[in-house]
Amino acid sequence: MDAAQDAGETIEQNASNDGEQGAEAKPSKSSLKKAARREKFAATKLERRTKEKLAKKEKKRIKAEKRAAGELSEEEPPKPKKRRVNPPFGGKVVVDLGFDDKMSEKEVFSLCSQLAYTYSANRHAEYPFSLIFTSINGKSLARLESLNDSGFKRWANTEWWAEGYERLWEADPAVKQTVVYLTADSDEELTELKPDETYIIGGLCDHNRYKNMCLTKAQESGVRTARLPIGTYLADLRTRKVLTVNQAFEILVHWTDMRDWEAAFQAVIPKRKFEESSKEREKTAAANTVDSSSSSSKIVLSVEELEAQADES
Ligand code: SAH
């Protein structure tokens, strides 16, 4: 089946089914491990329940003893139940969809799947971002409308603007200083995310055809640019890395949760990418890029790989 189409057609299911995909077809090492862990957990259930019951009994007995000895006043108010509710991170993420005319229909389909994965990742995030999709138009809009009876319109905490991201600072030009366009082509490296900043991700699936496309656009808009510090934290992956929209987004989400770039990259970039990177760098770059004439080798993660990634996680 067309991976992009499948992912797009099942936007809602994607949100919950990521882990299950492909489990029946060919169980991966990690899914076998998971199954073994589940089995072990189930097998020790009775034992755990018995232990818990005994512990509860013992606690009750101690309390009764204390009460009898007058150590416990009857009026002692019950302790309030602790429940940690995370506040949202505060930062905004904008996905700039202003590249619709630069993509083939197939690429637009892939992009729309990536948008669905992005939304899903934000929904499950410990500290979600405010998510805004700007410049929604053309083929992308038509594609989204054709999926799940315009399901995207029901995505929670998500804004869709027909206008470009410039609307961010329309009312207050000072806001522009807080905007950072993320692109692998930037000379600046992102060191941390700040709750009062807005990060733009280029909504572009171009198989690396348009180098510097987002960089140039950002420079023309007069906003700062930055690349994710992948090479600094992952010694194995020193080359220029171009990720998909949802991977870039998921790295941000993981960073806000763990405050650790290395852990965030490892959580998002498929492990085999690291293994591959040294020995198969050239091969991967050639297979995945249209622009294989360029001297720098690139690792482009396609939608097919996204599917594989979903299987792995
Ligand atoms: N040729 C396009 C590539 C699009 S990849 C370009 O000119 O950028 C989709 C988006 O993911 C990028 O626009 C960027 O916002 C984000 N992205 C991918 N890899 C990244 C990296 N290494 N650092 C920062 N952002 C990245």
Side-chain angles (χ1 to χ4, degrees):
M1 199 185 320
D2 181 338
Q5 203 159 346
D6 181 38
E9 226 89 76
T10 55
I11 283 173
E12 288 304 324
Q13 288 101 301
N14 262 333
S16 56
N17 268 0
D18 290 358
E20 268 90 52
Q21 284 175 14
E24 297 134 85
K26 202 174 98 207
S28 66
K29 226 187 205 173
S30 73
S31 71
L32 285 175
K33 260 193 219 161
K34 251 187 223 168
R37 233 179 290 140
R38 259 200 301 271
E39 230 167 71
K40 195 175 164 200
F41 194 70
T44 54
K45 189 175 169 180
L46 201 68
E47 203 181 307
R48 274 181 288 118
R49 290 288 169 275
T50 316
K51 251 192 204 162
E52 274 166 21
K53 267 188 197 158
L54 285 175
K56 217 170 171 183
K57 250 191 181 166
E58 178 65 6
K59 216 170 155 189
K60 226 176 166 180
R61 193 188 58 77
I62 293 173
K63 210 168 174 186
E65 249 176 29
K66 276 190 180 170
R67 192 175 292 121
E71 284 174 29
L72 208 67
S73 93
E74 291 294 338
E75 290 90 65
E76 195 177 42
K79 277 193 201 137
K81 279 209 173 93
K82 271 187 205 154
R83 189 168 159 256
R84 196 167 73 103
V85 179
N86 294 328
F89 176 63
K92 282 196 193 92
V93 171
V94 167
V95 180
D96 172 18
L97 299 175
F99 305 99
D100 194 75
D101 56 340
K102 302 286 185 292
M103 288 177 281
S104 70
E105 188 157 50
K106 200 160 177 246
E107 287 169 341
V108 166
F109 281 23
S110 298
L111 174 68
C112 290
S113 307
Q114 294 175 21
L115 303 184
Y117 282 123
T118 300
Y119 165 66
S120 169
N122 201 41
R123 248 181 61 154
H124 294 105
E126 282 288 320
Y127 302 90
F129 286 96
S130 307
L131 194 51
I132 308 173
F133 296 90
T134 59
S135 299
I136 174 70
N137 72 109
K139 298 189 290 266
S140 317
L141 179 58
R143 172 64 177 164
L144 287 167
E145 281 175 340
S146 77
L147 298 169
N148 283 327
D149 191 20
S150 289
F152 75 102
K153 290 183 182 157
R154 298 185 292 277
W155 291 1
N157 304 319
T158 308
E159 287 181 45
W160 296 87
W161 296 357
E163 302 94 327
Y165 54 74
E166 296 82 2
R167 185 178 143 186
L168 288 167
W169 57 83
E170 211 172 58
D172 178 5
V175 169
K176 201 176 183 173
Q177 314 304 319
T178 66
V179 177
V180 183
Y181 208 125
L182 301 181
T183 161
D185 299 316
S186 178
D187 288 335
E188 299 295 320
E189 200 165 77
L190 204 61
T191 51
E192 59 172 344
L193 302 180
K194 298 183 184 141
D196 55 355
E197 288 191 334
T198 297
Y199 302 94
I200 306 182
I201 297 177
L204 182 55
C205 172
D206 63 336
H207 300 89
N208 239 17
R209 196 166 50 246
Y210 302 113
K211 192 169 181 258
N212 294 336
M213 167 98 33
C214 293
L215 180 73
T216 309
K217 183 169 179 180
Q219 285 166 344
E220 280 167 4
S221 303
V223 298
R224 272 153 57 208
T225 61
R227 61 170 195 272
L228 292 166
I230 305 177
T232 302
Y233 288 90
L234 300 178
D236 291 350
L237 274 179
R238 257 185 238 287
T239 49
R240 173 174 170 265
K241 274 91 25 205
V242 185
L243 307 173
T244 61
V245 172
N246 59 298
Q247 283 173 327
F249 180 77
E250 283 168 36
I251 286 168
L252 304 184
V253 159
H254 279 285
W255 187 87
T256 58
D257 183 18
M258 306 187 274
R259 307 285 157 138
D260 178 341
W261 286 114
E262 188 171 356
F265 296 135
Q266 269 162 357
V268 174
I269 302 176
K271 223 184 181 168
R272 68 200 149 73
K273 277 284 146 202
F274 306 110
E275 288 149 15
E276 257 175 39
S277 65
S278 47
K279 41 184 196 282
E280 285 193 64
R281 202 169 281 159
E282 295 307 320
K283 210 170 115 193
T284 310
N288 284 329
T289 60
V290 174
D291 177 22
S292 54
S293 58
S294 162
S295 59
S296 67
S297 52
K298 297 151 200 149
I299 293 161
V300 179
L301 303 165
S302 66
V303 161
E304 290 73 42
E305 288 182 292
L306 278 179
E307 296 262 298
Q309 193 187 345
D311 288 349
E312 278 169 19
S313 60

